[in-house]
Amino acid sequence: MEPIVRIPLPDPVAAADSAGRAGVGLDGGLLPWFVGPENRLVEVVVHAVLADATVQYNPLVLAGESGLGKSHLVLGLAAAYRAQYPRRPVVCLPAVDFSREWADAIESQSAVDFRRGYRAARLVVIEDVLRLADHEGAQQALVHVLDDATAAGHQVLVTAPSPPGHWPRIHAALQTRLEAGLCVRLASPSMETRLAILRDAAARRGPRLDEPAA
C-alpha cells in the first residue's frame, strides 16, 4: 500500500483572513493537506510550485468538486510560496474579485496599471474561474494575464469544479490557454486518506480517538 503523504501548508482560514493583492501570510500556523494514492500528482505540483520549477506545467488547473480541498490547497500553497520567496509578488484571489478589480480598472481608466500589477506577480492564483461566466471583459483580461505570465515564465494557477474544454459561457480562448497547461483532477480521498485526516484533526484538537472509533 502506498503511504499517505502529509504536506504542511498554512491554515486556509487564517490565510483567507489575511489575504490581499500582495499575497497571504503564515500567521495561522500550518494545517496539512494529505495526499493519498488517488491524488499523488498533487504532491508533484506542490513541490514544483515551491521549487519555482513549474514552467512546464503552466498554467496549472486544479479541478474537483466542492469539498475536496481546492481552496485549502491553493491558499496554503500561495502563502507557502510567499514565505519562501518574500520578495516575489503573489496575487491570490477569487475570480469574482478578479472581475471586480477589472471592472474598477475600466471605470477608473487604469487598465494599464491593472495589467502591470499582474505582470509583476510571480505567482497568480485565481479561485473558481467559472465564476467569470457572466463577465466577458474579465475573461479577456485573464487571457492577457495568462499570455503575459507564460511569456515571462511566471506561474498561474486556477481552480474549477471540472477540467477546461466544456465550460459553458467561458470563451474558447480562455479554455484553450488553460488546456495547454496541466490539469490536475482532485479525486475523493480514499478510506486510508480520510483516516489520516481524522487522526490528525483529533491529535491537533485534543480528544482521544481510538482505532475502532476512527
Side-chain angles (χ1 to χ4, degrees):
M1 180 182 299
E2 293 189 51
I4 307 299
V5 177
R6 184 182 188 276
I7 302 176
L9 291 172
D11 184 332
V13 175
D17 288 344
S18 61
R21 272 195 109 269
V24 288
L26 289 165
D27 297 337
L30 299 178
L31 186 64
W33 209 93
F34 287 89
V35 177
E38 66 281 355
N39 284 314
R40 189 62 71 200
L41 191 55
V42 170
E43 183 185 8
V44 175
V45 166
V46 168
H47 289 310
V49 170
L50 294 181
D52 202 26
T54 53
V55 175
Q56 59 185 321
Y57 303 137
N58 205 22
L60 278 167
V61 180
L62 286 178
E65 298 176 357
S66 178
L68 294 183
K70 297 189 301 296
S71 292
H72 175 178
L73 184 58
V74 298
L75 284 172
L77 186 53
Y81 185 93
R82 180 170 170 77
Q84 186 163 322
Y85 306 106
R87 298 193 177 190
R88 298 182 183 181
V90 175
V91 176
C92 179
L93 74 173
V96 290
D97 289 347
F98 177 87
S99 178
R100 189 177 300 114
E101 280 193 0
W102 173 246
D104 290 345
I106 293 299
E107 185 176 352
S108 62
Q109 299 183 346
S110 58
V112 172
D113 292 336
F114 173 91
R115 288 192 63 180
R116 184 181 296 117
Y118 278 87
R119 282 196 198 102
R122 293 292 297 267
L123 174 64
V124 176
V125 178
I126 307 292
E127 280 201 89
D128 202 0
V129 71
L130 266 62
R131 297 292 295 275
L132 297 180
D134 296 323
H135 305 277
E136 294 188 7
Q139 290 184 45
Q140 188 60 45
L142 184 53
V143 167
H144 289 308
V145 168
L146 288 167
D147 289 345
D148 291 342
T150 301
H154 298 172
Q155 183 66 52
V156 177
L157 171 59
V158 306
T159 68
S162 61
H166 303 284
W167 292 339
R169 296 182 295 159
I170 299 294
H171 289 177
L174 179 53
Q175 297 200 56
T176 299
R177 281 163 174 77
L178 292 173
E179 285 183 293
L182 174 67
C183 180
V184 178
R185 300 191 189 203
L186 297 183
S188 297
S190 64
M191 177 65 75
E192 291 75 15
T193 307
R194 295 200 301 272
L195 285 170
I197 294 169
L198 181 62
R199 292 182 186 114
D200 177 80
R204 284 187 290 104
R205 296 179 184 182
R208 179 180 177 183
L209 184 67
D210 58 27
E211 287 306 301

Tab-separated table of all heavy atoms in Angstrom, residues 88-118:
chain	number	residue	atom	x	y	z
A	88	ARG	N	9.050	38.199	-3.945
A	88	ARG	CA	8.333	37.952	-5.199
A	88	ARG	C	6.841	38.233	-5.000
A	88	ARG	O	6.208	37.628	-4.145
A	88	ARG	CB	8.535	36.511	-5.664
A	88	ARG	CG	9.988	36.183	-5.956
A	88	ARG	CD	10.122	34.762	-6.445
A	88	ARG	NE	11.509	34.394	-6.663
A	88	ARG	CZ	11.905	33.208	-7.120
A	88	ARG	NH1	10.999	32.273	-7.387
A	88	ARG	NH2	13.181	32.958	-7.303
A	89	PRO	N	6.265	39.129	-5.802
A	89	PRO	CA	4.847	39.439	-5.653
A	89	PRO	C	3.969	38.219	-5.937
A	89	PRO	O	4.235	37.445	-6.857
A	89	PRO	CB	4.603	40.542	-6.686
A	89	PRO	CG	5.954	41.108	-6.988
A	89	PRO	CD	6.912	39.963	-6.841
A	90	VAL	N	2.936	38.059	-5.123
A	90	VAL	CA	1.958	36.985	-5.286
A	90	VAL	C	0.564	37.596	-5.314
A	90	VAL	O	0.252	38.468	-4.497
A	90	VAL	CB	2.056	35.966	-4.128
A	90	VAL	CG1	0.953	34.912	-4.233
A	90	VAL	CG2	3.423	35.293	-4.114
A	91	VAL	N	-0.248	37.169	-6.254
A	91	VAL	CA	-1.652	37.569	-6.302
A	91	VAL	C	-2.490	36.317	-6.108
A	91	VAL	O	-2.330	35.332	-6.833
A	91	VAL	CB	-2.016	38.243	-7.632
A	91	VAL	CG1	-3.513	38.547	-7.681
A	91	VAL	CG2	-1.219	39.530	-7.827
A	92	CYS	N	-3.376	36.342	-5.117
A	92	CYS	CA	-4.216	35.180	-4.817
A	92	CYS	C	-5.604	35.697	-4.461
A	92	CYS	O	-5.773	36.355	-3.429
A	92	CYS	CB	-3.613	34.386	-3.659
A	92	CYS	SG	-4.578	32.936	-3.169
A	93	LEU	N	-6.601	35.408	-5.300
A	93	LEU	CA	-7.927	35.941	-5.053
A	93	LEU	C	-8.991	35.139	-5.802
A	93	LEU	O	-8.692	34.441	-6.774
A	93	LEU	CB	-8.001	37.413	-5.462
A	93	LEU	CG	-8.043	37.803	-6.946
A	93	LEU	CD1	-8.301	39.305	-7.064
A	93	LEU	CD2	-6.771	37.439	-7.679
A	94	PRO	N	-10.247	35.221	-5.346
A	94	PRO	CA	-11.344	34.548	-6.057
A	94	PRO	C	-11.602	35.221	-7.400
A	94	PRO	O	-11.337	36.416	-7.585
A	94	PRO	CB	-12.540	34.728	-5.117
A	94	PRO	CG	-11.977	35.131	-3.806
A	94	PRO	CD	-10.697	35.848	-4.095
A	95	ALA	N	-12.173	34.467	-8.329
A	95	ALA	CA	-12.464	35.002	-9.654
A	95	ALA	C	-13.411	36.192	-9.587
A	95	ALA	O	-13.294	37.127	-10.388
A	95	ALA	CB	-13.052	33.901	-10.537
A	96	VAL	N	-14.355	36.178	-8.644
A	96	VAL	CA	-15.289	37.302	-8.545
A	96	VAL	C	-14.549	38.586	-8.184
A	96	VAL	O	-14.917	39.681	-8.645
A	96	VAL	CB	-16.408	37.012	-7.523
A	96	VAL	CG1	-17.340	35.933	-8.050
A	96	VAL	CG2	-15.844	36.611	-6.166
A	97	ASP	N	-13.498	38.481	-7.365
A	97	ASP	CA	-12.713	39.670	-7.024
A	97	ASP	C	-11.851	40.115	-8.203
A	97	ASP	O	-11.637	41.319	-8.408
A	97	ASP	CB	-11.832	39.392	-5.808
A	97	ASP	CG	-12.645	39.276	-4.533
A	97	ASP	OD1	-13.833	39.641	-4.542
A	97	ASP	OD2	-12.088	38.793	-3.519
A	98	PHE	N	-11.353	39.156	-8.970
A	98	PHE	CA	-10.610	39.492	-10.189
A	98	PHE	C	-11.505	40.287	-11.128
A	98	PHE	O	-11.097	41.313	-11.687
A	98	PHE	CB	-10.119	38.214	-10.867
A	98	PHE	CG	-9.393	38.446	-12.168
A	98	PHE	CD1	-8.030	38.704	-12.189
A	98	PHE	CD2	-10.084	38.395	-13.388
A	98	PHE	CE1	-7.365	38.920	-13.392
A	98	PHE	CE2	-9.419	38.612	-14.590
A	98	PHE	CZ	-8.057	38.878	-14.591
A	99	SER	N	-12.739	39.822	-11.302
A	99	SER	CA	-13.691	40.523	-12.168
A	99	SER	C	-13.986	41.925	-11.648
A	99	SER	O	-14.060	42.889	-12.423
A	99	SER	CB	-14.987	39.711	-12.265
A	99	SER	OG	-15.938	40.375	-13.062
A	100	ARG	N	-14.127	42.044	-10.332
A	100	ARG	CA	-14.405	43.359	-9.738
A	100	ARG	C	-13.211	44.303	-9.937
A	100	ARG	O	-13.396	45.486	-10.247
A	100	ARG	CB	-14.714	43.185	-8.257
A	100	ARG	CG	-15.234	44.442	-7.567
A	100	ARG	CD	-15.595	44.158	-6.119
A	100	ARG	NE	-16.640	43.139	-6.022
A	100	ARG	CZ	-16.479	41.928	-5.490
A	100	ARG	NH1	-15.291	41.579	-5.016
A	100	ARG	NH2	-17.477	41.087	-5.425
A	101	GLU	N	-12.014	43.785	-9.767
A	101	GLU	CA	-10.825	44.606	-9.979
A	101	GLU	C	-10.763	45.109	-11.417
A	101	GLU	O	-10.423	46.265	-11.670
A	101	GLU	CB	-9.556	43.805	-9.669
A	101	GLU	CG	-9.214	43.676	-8.204
A	101	GLU	CD	-7.803	43.146	-8.014
A	101	GLU	OE1	-7.116	42.894	-9.024
A	101	GLU	OE2	-7.378	42.990	-6.864
A	102	TRP	N	-11.084	44.215	-12.360
A	102	TRP	CA	-11.053	44.602	-13.764
A	102	TRP	C	-12.107	45.673	-14.062
A	102	TRP	O	-11.822	46.654	-14.751
A	102	TRP	CB	-11.268	43.386	-14.652
A	102	TRP	CG	-11.418	43.723	-16.107
A	102	TRP	CD1	-12.518	43.579	-16.891
A	102	TRP	CD2	-10.398	44.270	-16.961
A	102	TRP	NE1	-12.266	44.011	-18.160
A	102	TRP	CE2	-10.971	44.443	-18.229
A	102	TRP	CE3	-9.071	44.644	-16.767
A	102	TRP	CZ2	-10.268	44.963	-19.307
A	102	TRP	CZ3	-8.359	45.170	-17.845
A	102	TRP	CH2	-8.963	45.324	-19.090
A	103	ALA	N	-13.305	45.498	-13.536
A	103	ALA	CA	-14.356	46.486	-13.743
A	103	ALA	C	-13.947	47.839	-13.165
A	103	ALA	O	-14.183	48.899	-13.784
A	103	ALA	CB	-15.668	46.004	-13.118
A	104	ASP	N	-13.340	47.823	-11.983
A	104	ASP	CA	-12.880	49.065	-11.368
A	104	ASP	C	-11.789	49.723	-12.214
A	104	ASP	O	-11.746	50.964	-12.348
A	104	ASP	CB	-12.348	48.804	-9.959
A	104	ASP	CG	-13.448	48.443	-8.972
A	104	ASP	OD1	-14.638	48.670	-9.292
A	104	ASP	OD2	-13.110	47.912	-7.887
A	105	ALA	N	-10.909	48.892	-12.789
A	105	ALA	CA	-9.833	49.430	-13.624
A	105	ALA	C	-10.395	50.087	-14.879
A	105	ALA	O	-9.913	51.145	-15.309
A	105	ALA	CB	-8.853	48.319	-13.998
A	106	ILE	N	-11.406	49.488	-15.474
A	106	ILE	CA	-12.031	50.073	-16.664
A	106	ILE	C	-12.720	51.387	-16.302
A	106	ILE	O	-12.591	52.403	-17.002
A	106	ILE	CB	-13.037	49.088	-17.277
A	106	ILE	CG1	-12.304	47.865	-17.848
A	106	ILE	CG2	-13.861	49.762	-18.364
A	106	ILE	CD1	-11.319	48.191	-18.939
A	107	GLU	N	-13.444	51.376	-15.183
A	107	GLU	CA	-14.177	52.576	-14.777
A	107	GLU	C	-13.238	53.730	-14.462
A	107	GLU	O	-13.529	54.888	-14.764
A	107	GLU	CB	-15.046	52.261	-13.558
A	107	GLU	CG	-15.935	53.417	-13.124
A	107	GLU	CD	-16.853	53.041	-11.973
A	107	GLU	OE1	-16.900	51.847	-11.611
A	107	GLU	OE2	-17.521	53.946	-11.443
A	108	SER	N	-12.098	53.402	-13.863
A	108	SER	CA	-11.142	54.453	-13.488
A	108	SER	C	-10.080	54.687	-14.556
A	108	SER	O	-9.119	55.440	-14.317
A	108	SER	CB	-10.467	54.089	-12.166
A	108	SER	OG	-9.726	52.874	-12.291
A	109	GLN	N	-10.241	54.036	-15.696
A	109	GLN	CA	-9.298	54.160	-16.813
A	109	GLN	C	-7.860	53.823	-16.386
A	109	GLN	O	-6.907	54.501	-16.745
A	109	GLN	CB	-9.355	55.574	-17.407
A	109	GLN	CG	-10.728	55.937	-17.974
A	109	GLN	CD	-10.758	57.300	-18.619
A	109	GLN	OE1	-9.854	58.106	-18.436
A	109	GLN	NE2	-11.793	57.572	-19.409
A	110	SER	N	-7.752	52.735	-15.603
A	110	SER	CA	-6.427	52.310	-15.133
A	110	SER	C	-6.120	50.877	-15.547
A	110	SER	O	-5.460	50.136	-14.813
A	110	SER	CB	-6.341	52.456	-13.611
A	110	SER	OG	-7.365	51.697	-12.976
A	111	ALA	N	-6.617	50.473	-16.726
A	111	ALA	CA	-6.387	49.110	-17.202
A	111	ALA	C	-4.899	48.811	-17.368
A	111	ALA	O	-4.458	47.679	-17.144
A	111	ALA	CB	-7.124	48.877	-18.524
A	112	VAL	N	-4.124	49.815	-17.748
A	112	VAL	CA	-2.677	49.617	-17.916
A	112	VAL	C	-2.038	49.257	-16.580
A	112	VAL	O	-1.201	48.345	-16.494
A	112	VAL	CB	-2.030	50.873	-18.516
A	112	VAL	CG1	-0.502	50.730	-18.505
A	112	VAL	CG2	-2.516	51.107	-19.932
A	113	ASP	N	-2.441	49.961	-15.516
A	113	ASP	CA	-1.908	49.654	-14.188
A	113	ASP	C	-2.350	48.269	-13.728
A	113	ASP	O	-1.587	47.542	-13.068
A	113	ASP	CB	-2.377	50.700	-13.180
A	113	ASP	CG	-1.761	52.064	-13.433
A	113	ASP	OD1	-0.678	52.109	-14.050
A	113	ASP	OD2	-2.373	53.064	-13.028
A	114	PHE	N	-3.588	47.896	-14.053
A	114	PHE	CA	-4.099	46.561	-13.717
A	114	PHE	C	-3.206	45.490	-14.329
A	114	PHE	O	-2.743	44.577	-13.632
A	114	PHE	CB	-5.535	46.426	-14.223
A	114	PHE	CG	-6.126	45.055	-14.084
A	114	PHE	CD1	-6.839	44.699	-12.949
A	114	PHE	CD2	-5.984	44.107	-15.097
A	114	PHE	CE1	-7.400	43.430	-12.821
A	114	PHE	CE2	-6.536	42.838	-14.974
A	114	PHE	CZ	-7.240	42.504	-13.833
A	115	ARG	N	-2.943	45.603	-15.619
A	115	ARG	CA	-2.123	44.594	-16.291
A	115	ARG	C	-0.688	44.625	-15.777
A	115	ARG	O	-0.048	43.576	-15.642
A	115	ARG	CB	-2.156	44.804	-17.803
A	115	ARG	CG	-3.480	44.442	-18.438
A	115	ARG	CD	-3.390	44.385	-19.940
A	115	ARG	NE	-2.480	43.358	-20.409
A	115	ARG	CZ	-2.236	43.113	-21.712
A	115	ARG	NH1	-2.835	43.824	-22.636
A	115	ARG	NH2	-1.390	42.165	-22.058
A	116	ARG	N	-0.191	45.814	-15.465
A	116	ARG	CA	1.185	45.916	-14.947
A	116	ARG	C	1.314	45.175	-13.620
A	116	ARG	O	2.311	44.491	-13.365
A	116	ARG	CB	1.573	47.385	-14.771
A	116	ARG	CG	3.026	47.570	-14.328
A	116	ARG	CD	3.365	49.038	-14.127
A	116	ARG	NE	3.265	49.780	-15.373
A	116	ARG	CZ	2.408	50.780	-15.584
A	116	ARG	NH1	1.584	51.161	-14.615
A	116	ARG	NH2	2.395	51.414	-16.741
A	117	GLY	N	0.297	45.291	-12.768
A	117	GLY	CA	0.338	44.602	-11.481
A	117	GLY	C	0.369	43.101	-11.635
A	117	GLY	O	1.113	42.403	-10.916
A	118	TYR	N	-0.401	42.581	-12.559
A	118	TYR	CA	-0.410	41.136	-12.762
A	118	TYR	C	0.847	40.658	-13.478
A	118	TYR	O	1.307	39.537	-13.243
A	118	TYR	CB	-1.676	40.715	-13.522
A	118	TYR	CG	-2.868	40.580	-12.608
A	118	TYR	CD1	-3.670	41.676	-12.318
A	118	TYR	CD2	-3.157	39.372	-11.989
A	118	TYR	CE1	-4.748	41.565	-11.455
A	118	TYR	CE2	-4.235	39.258	-11.115
A	118	TYR	CZ	-5.019	40.358	-10.856
A	118	TYR	OH	-6.073	40.239	-9.983
